[in-house]
């Protein structure tokens, strides 16, 4: 393969083998555009996202395995292992995020521009096989007794896990015995869940459009339904009711400070007195012009200039000094 690739290259007539490779002869790098920042110690590579993250710019989720053209830079050393940092641009916005390697923990660390989705757990809780630490490896190499005890404990763990592994194997064989039926069942469940999610999304969008809101709605719960039912039963007091309660409070308040509290009966009496009928206020219709004429109130002098004129009342003088009843 190597000699075939070399033979397929075109060597111009003026090529001098003493110069070196064809790239040196043409003055270019083997990576072409990916090495345009090689003088700055930066090389562009194809980087694959090691875990799920949230972009700080657009707040969107970026799944594990999404690939980017990243600028790779050497930023340090961990003993004899180099530490590299990768800078890439989000494909959904103009935000840039940087991720660097962590050789000490065999992991990647986000430097800036993104936030990791925390779904890590202790592998020992799931009874997974965990690689030995450096301290345990050193102890296994130096202490023969510890190595024997460690091997015996591993054998006991394997014996205890055999029944569980057998049950899992039988269940897997029964469920996936017919691959087509199992796949069809899973796809049907997925379609039903997808349809339900779409219906809920349409319902939420209609509610947001009706309310002129631009927020994210959370799924409703049973407590939310009970609270909404109670809110429908609650009715706010009107302005007239509030004014009436204020008047009742003023009427029932004592003029002088007293040690005794008000009685409920006083409040009821005061509220009853505020009614128009109890106060003796009766709305009567305004008298008509014909009624006024018959009563002698309206005459020619009263309607001449558009002014209402009334006759002077007669004064009746009586002498109440004498006790006789015949005097007027």
């Amino acid at each position: 393969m190597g000699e075939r690739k070399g033979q397929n290259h075109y060597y111009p007539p003026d090529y001098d083998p003493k110069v070196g490779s064809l790239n040196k002869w043409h003055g270019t790098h083997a990576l072409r555009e990916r090495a345009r920042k090689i003088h700055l110690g930066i090389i562009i590579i194809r980087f694959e996202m090691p875990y799920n993250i949230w972009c700080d710019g657009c707040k969107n989720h970026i799944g594990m395995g999404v690939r980017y053209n990243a600028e790779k830079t050497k930023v340090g050393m961990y003993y004899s292992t180099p530490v590299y940092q990768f800078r890439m641009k989000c494909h959904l916005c103009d935000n840039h995020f940087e991720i660097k390697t962590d050789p000490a923990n065999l992991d990647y660390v986000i430097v800036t521009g993104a936030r990791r989705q925390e779904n890590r757990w202790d592998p020992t809780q799931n009874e997974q096989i965990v690689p030995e630490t450096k301290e345990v490896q050193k102890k296994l190499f130096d202490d023969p007794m510890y190595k024997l005890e460690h091997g015996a404990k591993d054998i006991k763990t394997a014996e205890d896990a055999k029944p569980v592994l057998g049950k899992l194997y039988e269940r897997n064989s029964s469920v996936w015995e017919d691959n087509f039926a199992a796949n069809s069942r899973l796809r049907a469940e997925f379609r039903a869940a997808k349809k339900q999610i779409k219906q809920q999304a349409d319902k939420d969008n209609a509610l947001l459009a009706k309310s002129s809101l631009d927020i994210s709605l959370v799924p409703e719960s049973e407590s939310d339904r009970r609270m909404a039912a109670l809110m429908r039963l609650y009715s706010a007091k009107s302005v007239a009711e509030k004014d009436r309660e204020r008047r009742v409070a003023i009427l029932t308040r004592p003029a002088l400070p007293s040690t005794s509290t008000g009685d409920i009966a006083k409040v009821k009496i005061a509220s009853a007195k505020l009614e128009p009928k109890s106060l003796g206020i009766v709305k009567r219709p305004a008298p008509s012009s014909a009624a006024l004429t018959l009563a002698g109130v309206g005459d020619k002098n009263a309607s001449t200039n558009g002014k209402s004129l009334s006759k002077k009342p007669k004064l009746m003088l009586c002498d109440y000094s004498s006790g006789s009843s015949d005097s007027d």
Side-chain angles (χ1 to χ4, degrees):
M1 294 292 292
E3 60 272 11
R4 187 191 58 150
K5 290 182 179 179
Q7 292 174 1
N8 287 340
H9 290 167
Y10 172 74
Y11 292 87
D14 55 348
Y15 168 71
D16 187 3
K18 296 180 180 179
V19 177
S21 63
L22 286 174
N23 292 325
K24 290 184 179 180
W25 174 259
H26 293 293
T28 59
H29 196 273
L31 297 178
R32 300 297 187 272
E33 289 296 325
R34 295 183 179 272
R36 60 180 179 272
K37 296 182 180 180
I38 193 67
H39 61 284
L40 302 175
I42 300 174
I43 189 171
I44 300 175
I45 65 167
R46 195 67 173 166
F47 182 81
E48 184 174 338
M49 195 61 61
Y51 40 69
N52 299 329
I53 67 171
W54 300 92
C55 178
D56 288 343
C58 57
K59 308 301 180 182
N60 285 319
H61 177 265
I62 300 174
M64 179 177 61
V66 179
R67 297 180 179 180
Y68 294 94
N69 291 332
E71 298 179 356
K72 177 182 175 182
T73 310
K74 183 180 178 181
V75 294
M77 295 286 295
Y78 176 75
Y79 294 103
S80 60
T81 304
V83 178
Y84 294 103
Q85 183 167 310
F86 307 93
R87 186 176 187 270
M88 61 209 80
K89 177 183 173 297
C90 178
H91 65 286
L92 300 173
C93 64
D94 295 333
N95 181 46
H96 288 77
F97 39 83
E98 298 179 358
I99 300 176
K100 71 176 182 179
T101 58
D102 186 10
N105 300 318
L106 304 177
D107 200 358
Y108 289 87
V109 179
I110 298 176
V111 181
T112 56
R115 178 169 50 91
R116 181 171 182 173
Q117 182 180 357
E118 292 296 339
N119 52 7
R120 291 173 286 186
W121 61 86
D122 187 5
T124 57
Q125 296 179 358
N126 298 338
E127 299 181 358
Q128 296 181 0
I129 299 176
V130 183
E132 304 293 349
T133 60
K134 293 182 179 180
E135 291 78 8
V136 175
Q137 292 178 0
K138 185 177 180 181
K139 200 171 182 180
L140 288 172
F141 183 77
D142 296 337
D143 192 351
M145 293 301 296
Y146 180 78
K147 183 178 181 180
L148 182 62
E149 293 175 357
H150 193 275
K153 186 168 62 176
D154 291 342
I155 294 173
K156 184 177 182 302
T157 304
E159 293 294 333
D160 295 340
K162 278 185 179 180
V164 179
L165 294 176
K167 291 180 180 179
L168 291 176
Y169 180 78
E170 292 176 359
R171 180 182 179 277
N172 193 17
S173 300
S174 61
V175 172
W176 292 97
E177 184 177 3
D178 188 355
N179 294 334
F180 179 78
N183 190 15
S184 300
R185 184 171 59 255
L186 290 176
R187 290 175 65 86
E189 294 177 358
F190 175 75
R191 282 194 296 268
K194 185 178 180 181
K195 184 178 180 180
Q196 185 177 2
I197 292 172
K198 186 177 182 303
Q199 291 177 355
Q200 185 64 32
D202 295 341
K203 183 178 178 181
D204 295 344
N205 293 333
L207 180 60
L208 292 175
K210 181 180 180 180
S211 304
S212 299
L213 297 175
D214 188 11
I215 58 176
S216 299
L217 298 179
V218 297
E220 61 180 10
S221 60
E222 187 63 28
S223 61
D224 296 337
R225 297 188 186 97
R226 290 197 299 265
M227 184 61 68
L230 293 176
M231 290 298 293
R232 285 200 300 267
L233 297 176
Y234 174 78
S235 59
K237 296 181 179 179
S238 62
V239 178
E241 293 177 352
K242 292 181 180 179
D243 292 342
R244 182 175 178 179
E245 292 180 357
R246 195 179 298 111
R247 293 193 188 98
V248 170
I250 294 173
L251 290 176
T252 56
R253 184 173 58 194
L256 297 177
S258 175
T259 57
S260 61
T261 57
D263 193 9
I264 300 176
K266 294 181 180 180
V267 178
K268 293 182 178 180
I269 293 171
S271 61
K273 288 181 179 180
L274 291 176
E275 296 293 336
K277 294 181 179 179
S278 62
L279 295 175
I281 301 173
V282 179
K283 294 184 179 180
R284 296 179 179 178
S288 60
S289 60
L292 293 175
T293 305
L294 293 175
V297 177
D299 54 359
K300 295 180 179 179
N301 295 328
S303 59
T304 53
N305 298 327
K307 299 180 180 178
S308 62
L309 301 177
S310 61
K311 295 182 180 180
K312 295 182 179 180
K314 295 181 180 181
L315 298 177
M316 298 180 67
L317 301 177
C318 299
D319 186 8
Y320 294 98
S321 59
S322 61
S324 62
S325 59
D326 296 335
S327 60
D328 292 334

